[in-house]
Amino acid sequence: MVTVTKDGVTRNIPMTTSQKILHHIKANLIIILMVIALAIGVIAGLTVRTADGWEYWQKRKIFYLRFPGDLLMNMLKMLILPLIISSIISSLASLNAKASGKMGLRAVVYYLTTTFAAVIMGIILVLAIEPGKKGGEITRSGSSKEQEPLEALFDLIRNCFPDNLVESAFRRQTTVTGTFKYQLPITLDDENKTEVMGNYTSESPNVEKSEGMNILGIVVFSVFLGAVIASMGHAGKPLLDFFEALHVATMKLTMLVIWYSPIGIIFLVSTKLIEMENPGTIFIQLGYYMLTVLAGLAAHGLIVLPVVYLIATRKNPLIFMYNMLKALLTAWGTASSSATLPVTMECLEHRNNIDIRVAKFVAPIGATINMDGTALYEAVAAIFIAQVNGVGLSIGEVITVSLTATAAAIGAAGIPSAGLVTMTIVLTAVGLPTEDVSLILAIDWFLDRFRTAINVLGDSFGAGIVDHLSKADLSEIDHLNELEMAEETTKAEEAGITNTAFVNGGMKETENGEIGSRL
Ligand code: ASP
């Protein structure tokens, strides 16, 4: 419908078919551009690979070609810090303790149940398909560091409380196990009491700082600061205003980056395809492994999550998913749920009309701890490695895999291939060789893109569900705010000040029309 106003008369004129098509294209232009970019990236990448002498493409050429893609990654990552801080703080500061507590509980219950469901789905599929028992030999290369599950858990909790907030923007704490040598006397001959000094080595774990943003620490700090600001009432209002404005400004920057993203996606995808290992060397086992992970991710993303959403909200999950397409494509292109966060928030707020307070609270936390795709992949990969090694896992060990895979997914950062690193926790827990991570290294970049998209989809459905369940609490807060506002207006009017004081960005207008300073 087109609304035309002429001489004060409003008429609704139906759109013609071409107008309708144009309207749809306009509304979905960025999605269309992203899909085209993805296709161009794949075609260009494969064309270069199949061209004569592509093997001679030096690393330098690939490095130059990736430049526009690197820029996109940088722009998205640059927004993570202001976005997480401003979103979580302004959301919590605008809610009361009861509402934010309920919202947080709902989100955590959703995160844990869906992550665990993903793990179970992965385990069922890998036990049924048994990719590790199919023919073919895969070569092992490289090695990886072992991490004790308990130490990994300590790291997770330790990182929730960074000792330096500024440093947590670029470094986190990690337990690193070194060895130290010591000597002890050994008695060689009991009768003559001959003693020599024996050399021993022992392990010594230590906390060290490693490169990478400690998002978890920033999230925890923001949650507490937001809650404290909420409890401060009027005294906290300037801070709330500040973080709200910062959020709006960051989202405006996000829009600019989104318009650049199709260009970045072309180069990110094509260079990845150019530099990937020759698919001919991917053996049958790995092929089945890939199929198992992809089938699991598809089942979780296309069946489990939409059904959970449908049951919880009675709304159409397909429309919800379609509205998230921009974020899902960005997740696929960047393989990073943290880098996708700005786009995820944009889709939630503007396309799915999720209450801004919910989107600001649930999406950043989800991007940090809720990783269904990663959890599913870690469980499949661990059992696959056991199968390749001919190790049968007992029921107890399968349960250990499911629990540690859930924990490892929570601990994984939202950056490319983070799941591969935290997988050592799962492998160590069931006594499998951690260097066998190298078995699946060659195709990890590919699976990473799919699992990141499922991670983002899980976060988004979570926001949709929490939004639906929190409607009553949020409208209660709105109602209370309205009452408070009305009360303040009455008081102000009684004091001889007009209503403009509260609407006019804190400027007050006195009865005789002068604009004064803030109340
Ligand atoms: N790349 C994933 C993400 O950012 C994490 C992973 O490696 O599984 O969500």
Side-chain angles (χ1 to χ4, degrees), residues 329-371:
L329 291 171
T330 310
W332 202 91
T334 60
S336 164
S337 37
S338 294
T340 311
L341 180 64
V343 191
T344 313
M345 301 224 19
E346 202 273 327
C347 293
L348 286 173
E349 283 177 26
H350 298 130
R351 289 191 72 98
N352 269 324
N353 299 322
I354 300 295
D355 189 301
I356 190 159
R357 290 162 291 185
V358 177
K360 287 199 287 191
F361 179 41
V362 180
I365 298 184
T368 314
I369 61 171
N370 181 43
M371 296 197 184

Side-chain angles (χ1 to χ4, degrees), residues 86 243-253 356:
S86 66
F243 286 112
E244 251 166 13
L246 182 62
H247 173 79
V248 174
T250 317
M251 289 309 291
K252 285 194 188 298
L253 286 178
I356 190 159

